[in-house]
Amino acid sequence: MTALAGPAAAHPGHPVGIKDVARVAGVSVGTVSNVINRPDSVSEETRVRVQSTIERLGYVRSESARQLRAGRSRIIALLVLDMANPFFVDVASGAERAAREAGLGVMLCNSAQNPSEEAEYLGLFTEQRVRGVLVTPADTTGANLAGFRRHGIPFVFVDRVLPSAEGCSVSVDDITGGTLAVRHLLDQGHRDITYISGPRHLAQCQDRRTGALRALEEAGLAGERLREIEAERLDVSAGRDAGARLLGMSPRPTAVFCANDLLALGVLQALYGAGVSVPGEIALVGYDDIEFASAAAVPLTSVRQPAFRMGRTAAELLIEETDERTAPSHEHRRIVLQPELVVRGSSLTVGRPRGRNPA
């Protein structure tokens, strides 16, 4: 094997640079740059020689240096509340698909519903000068984003409605979703319904509760009939804890609406462990329609959110705002997607209709 002369051979730990490629290939630095960025502008013979040299030397261009020259990153940041929740996995998949089609990458981060961690990540995004940020805020005060805005990095709210004209947002009509869930339980004959919420400061939990109350009002029932349990988190473990509290209620409700499917699956585990029949003794409805909902021991009725579409749409808005070709005509938009009820066995009363959206 022939040894390579130059910096790469003399200093094994020295990263191969574009000058090393140019010297070994016998061309100018500008020619190497053209092969990388504008290959059609270089003759085939020269292009093949330079590409072969790049492969032999193991040259990898510095993305940070390229960004400094271009003044624009190829990385979009996505900051979600909980990557353990399959809903946010689907959101991330949609965002990644749109970014890939635009030749961009996605940096995925998890705030774990913690405003302090959210603030740290927003600081990191500022340092890295990412192209833009897709964010589901954990801090409801807006203080974290207020500081972030000063750096001029575009952002789009995901699964939240942005309360101003400072940016775009893509969300789901959670009030309608809550209404669909409780209206279905009322149609099944239930009048003693409990809402198991996640942390009440989360806008989604508030809106789903508002929808539940709207369904009661439509049925001529007082809102006070809706009993509530607040879970500390939106996960299965918190659902099991809520289920234990539910079992201690007197009288027990005949139906339960949970703020998301993970809570509902935890409640289902608690009820099953206590020998309580679902839906025979307690009917159960979740929210999100994650993949596990249909695969549960008792298939779970759930309000479906178009999570993949939400992530994709949010990324497309951010790309439009940050692309020099489309940015001049970009206008901030609030896009609100509609949920649908998917009825399964966990909420059905024998002899009553399945509802409009069986699955």
Side-chain angles (χ1 to χ4, degrees), residues 5-304:
H11 306 285
H14 177 80
V16 176
I18 193 170
K19 292 182 179 178
D20 299 323
V21 174
R23 179 182 51 76
V24 174
V27 298
S28 68
V29 170
T31 297
V32 177
S33 178
N34 284 337
V35 169
I36 295 171
N37 299 298
R38 295 175 293 279
D40 292 342
S41 67
V42 182
S43 69
E44 181 178 0
E45 178 184 354
T46 300
R47 185 169 66 250
V48 170
R49 184 166 78 252
V50 171
Q51 289 173 338
S52 175
T53 303
I54 287 173
E55 292 175 7
R56 285 195 295 123
L57 296 181
Y59 167 72
V60 178
R61 68 175 177 176
S62 169
E63 179 61 18
S64 59
R66 192 202 67 80
Q67 289 176 198
L68 285 173
R69 291 191 299 271
R72 187 172 298 276
S73 171
R74 294 177 58 245
I75 300 297
I76 289 173
L78 172 59
L79 181 58
V80 300
L81 288 179
D82 183 9
M83 273 309 299
N85 187 337
F87 166 76
F88 286 110
V89 175
D90 290 342
V91 169
S93 295
E96 191 276 338
R97 180 70 58 83
R100 178 181 290 273
E101 291 173 0
L104 306 175
V106 177
M107 177 195 301
L108 178 59
C109 299
N110 177 24
S111 72
Q113 304 179 40
N114 187 320
S116 296
E117 292 190 26
E118 175 182 85
E120 291 176 7
Y121 277 123
L122 290 173
L124 174 64
F125 300 156
T126 301
E127 292 173 5
Q128 295 297 317
R129 300 301 299 175
V130 297
R131 186 187 191 96
V133 177
L134 306 175
V135 57
T136 304
D139 174 30
T140 57
T141 69
N144 287 342
L145 282 165
F148 183 72
R149 287 186 182 100
R150 291 196 293 269
H151 297 280
I153 299 175
F155 61 90
V156 174
F157 272 20
V158 183
D159 199 29
R160 288 283 197 284
V161 176
L162 187 61
S164 70
E166 297 180 13
C168 294
S169 64
V170 184
S171 60
V172 168
D173 186 348
D174 283 319
I175 294 177
T176 293
T179 302
L180 290 173
V182 173
R183 183 187 291 156
H184 167 68
L185 291 172
L186 293 168
D187 288 345
Q188 296 297 304
H190 297 285
R191 294 298 180 268
D192 190 352
I193 301 171
T194 291
Y195 173 52
I196 297 182
S197 170
R200 286 181 181 148
H201 69 270
L202 294 178
Q204 295 99 321
C205 294
Q206 295 174 14
D207 287 348
R208 291 164 197 178
R209 175 183 181 274
T210 299
L213 294 173
R214 175 185 288 177
L216 291 175
E217 181 181 357
E218 289 176 353
L221 301 173
E224 290 76 13
R225 297 183 68 102
L226 184 72
R227 291 191 280 175
E228 298 181 49
I229 295 175
E230 181 180 3
E232 294 182 356
R233 301 172 309 280
L234 288 162
D235 58 26
V236 174
S237 176
R240 285 194 295 266
D241 292 342
R245 293 160 63 186
L246 182 73
L247 289 167
M249 295 174 70
S250 181
R252 285 183 190 169
T254 65
V256 175
F257 167 44
C258 295
N260 79 348
D261 285 344
L262 296 182
L263 284 175
L265 292 172
V267 169
L268 182 61
Q269 289 179 9
L271 296 180
Y272 182 83
V276 175
S277 170
V278 175
E281 296 176 71
I282 297 180
L284 186 62
V285 175
Y287 203 105
D288 288 341
D289 194 35
I290 62 176
E291 183 178 357
F292 300 127
S294 62
V298 179
L300 182 66
T301 293
S302 185
V303 177
R304 176 179 292 165

